[in-house]
Structure formats: C-alpha cells, structure tokens
Amino acid sequence: MAEQTVYVVDDDRDVRESLQWLLESVGLHVVTFDHAQAFLDNFVPGSSGCILMDVRMPGLSGISAQQKLSKYHVDIPLIMISGHGSVDMAVTAMTQGARTFIEKPFNDQLLLDHVQQALAQDLAQRERLQQRLAVEQRYAGLTKRERQVFQQVAQGLANQDIADALGISRKTVEGHRANLMNKMAAQSLSELIQMAISLDLMTAYKGHQAGIE
C-alpha cells in the first residue's frame, strides 16, 4: 500500500505551517498548497490520503474547488477548515460530500482524530474497490453459459428450474454451477449472491423481468 498523504490547502501561511508541524509530529506525510487550483493541478489521480481545505480562500474557494474534485479525479476524503463566519459554507460543503468541518482555532487532538478517521475511510474505500475489481476479473473469466447459470443461481432458482429455463439438463447445470463457484472463488451461496449484487447482476435481472412484463 502506497504511503498516504494529507493535503493541506489554505492561503494562510501560518495555518499551513502549523498544520504541517502537527500532522508530521505523529508521522503523517504532508503536502501543502497556498491555493486550491495548485492542489487540483498537482494531485496525482489514484493517490491515497485525505484533504484539509480552507472553505474560504481568495480565487477558487474551498466550495468551488470541492465541486471540481471529480473533474480532476480526486476521490479521497475531504475535511473542510472553517473560520469564524464561514460555518454556513462549511455545512454546504458537507452537503456536497465533505466528511466534516473543523472550526479555527483547532483543537489539535480533535483534528488529528478526524484526519486519522478520514485516512481509515480512504483505505476502506480502496479495499472495497480492489475487491470489486477482483470480482469483475473473475466474472470476466466465466463462459457465457456460466454467466447465465450464475445469474439464475443468484436469483435463488433451484438447479432443475435453471435447467428448464435454459433448456439444458440438470446435471449440466450442476457442472456449470460447480465451475462458476470455483472460478468466482465463492465459498458459499450467500457469498456468490454478494458478488452478484456488487456486479449489479440483480439490477440487470430485474430490468430484464420488467421488460418481459
């Protein structure tokens, strides 16, 4: 796992230096920017970490920068820094997806707690993404028939019902079912159903059923 970075974005030099010292004092890697556009231009998509961004800055405000995050492929948790008189803006930032906001002056331990939680959230998101990609890769390795059986099994159909629906023998269904369970590395039916949900196969099935009706 690549090192996580805390990106500090604030036009106030004293705040940037104070935050950098505090975060580095507990072993965190910190990169600072004095305006939001510089952060957006220098962020490397796929990087792990979190953002501490002032909600009110000259030029591109924290709110405006937040709205551009997806365009720049920034997908890490955001914590807004709110000064006096900008709490309403910070609340707006939260409605737009910010994890939380912290008011100046900071309580050091509270800020560190929020940052650690944001970093943990980022790691969890990346782990879920990796698991999803692994499932997609295994699914891509199934034959067309195995995919058909997979979807039917995920809907709770019995082997004989699947055989009737696909016009094949029950024994053939059992063979396909054993093969797809092995290829998907599923240890149980419930695990296979969870994989089907993550692949949106259940939604696809419902849409197909609606079309038939």
Side-chain angles (χ1 to χ4, degrees), residues 55-56 61-67 78-82 85-102:
V55 71
R56 189 191 296 275
S61 71
I63 295 291
S64 298
Q66 181 185 20
Q67 295 168 350
L78 168 65
I79 297 171
M80 279 295 189
I81 302 170
S82 166
S86 59
V87 172
D88 286 346
M89 293 178 68
V91 172
T92 298
M94 288 186 66
T95 65
Q96 294 181 171
R99 192 178 190 283
T100 189
F101 71 90
I102 302 174

Side-chain angles (χ1 to χ4, degrees), residues 25 63 90 110 120 129 159 163 167 172 182 194 206:
S25 74
I63 295 291
L110 179 64
L129 177 60
N159 288 344
T172 300
N182 182 57
Q194 286 299 319
K206 290 178 181 177

Side-chain angles (χ1 to χ4, degrees), residues 39-53:
F39 163 70
L40 294 173
D41 290 340
N42 287 278
F43 182 82
V44 178
S47 297
S48 179
C50 70
I51 312 162
L52 277 171
M53 184 183 295

Side-chain angles (χ1 to χ4, degrees), residues 9 14 23 68 73 93 96 123 133 137 139 145 156 160 163:
V9 188
D14 289 340
L23 295 165
K68 293 176 177 285
H73 307 290
Q96 294 181 171
L123 287 180
L133 291 175
Q137 289 175 349
Y139 182 72
R145 183 64 86 187
Q160 187 59 59

Side-chain angles (χ1 to χ4, degrees), residues 11-184:
D11 62 301
D12 188 321
R13 180 177 177 178
D14 289 340
V15 172
R16 291 197 309 274
E17 291 180 350
S18 175
L19 285 172
Q20 183 168 12
W21 176 86
L22 174 64
L23 295 165
E24 289 181 345
S25 74
V26 293
L28 296 174
H29 180 242
V30 182
V31 177
T32 66
F33 297 94
D34 60 3
H35 61 280
Q37 192 61 54
F39 163 70
L40 294 173
D41 290 340
N42 287 278
F43 182 82
V44 178
S47 297
S48 179
C50 70
I51 312 162
L52 277 171
M53 184 183 295
D54 193 4
V55 71
R56 189 191 296 275
M57 291 182 285
L60 192 65
S61 71
I63 295 291
S64 298
Q66 181 185 20
Q67 295 168 350
K68 293 176 177 285
L69 294 182
S70 61
K71 176 183 176 182
Y72 285 83
H73 307 290
V74 180
D75 60 354
I76 56 179
L78 168 65
I79 297 171
M80 279 295 189
I81 302 170
S82 166
H84 178 69
S86 59
V87 172
D88 286 346
M89 293 178 68
V91 172
T92 298
M94 288 186 66
T95 65
Q96 294 181 171
R99 192 178 190 283
T100 189
F101 71 90
I102 302 174
E103 288 187 79
K104 300 176 183 177
F106 310 119
N107 174 299
D108 288 355
Q109 189 57 54
L110 179 64
L111 184 141
L112 290 173
D113 288 345
H114 279 301
V115 168
Q116 294 289 5
Q117 290 163 12
L119 293 175
Q121 176 186 335
D122 178 59
L123 287 180
Q125 289 175 174
R126 289 174 190 285
E127 183 177 348
R128 286 193 295 271
L129 177 60
Q130 288 301 316
Q131 291 174 346
R132 163 84 187 228
L133 291 175
V135 170
E136 288 178 348
Q137 289 175 349
R138 293 197 291 266
Y139 182 72
L142 300 181
T143 66
K144 180 179 179 180
R145 183 64 86 187
E146 286 167 349
R147 293 184 188 185
Q148 291 174 330
V149 172
F150 184 178
Q151 193 163 47
Q152 300 280 343
V153 169
Q155 302 308 317
L157 273 68
N159 288 344
Q160 187 59 59
D161 294 330
I162 297 172
D164 294 341
L166 299 179
I168 56 180
S169 71
R170 175 172 176 167
K171 188 170 184 177
T172 300
V173 170
E174 291 171 351
H176 287 311
R177 183 166 180 166
N179 287 339
L180 74 89
M181 289 286 287
N182 182 57
K183 289 182 179 180
M184 294 301 297

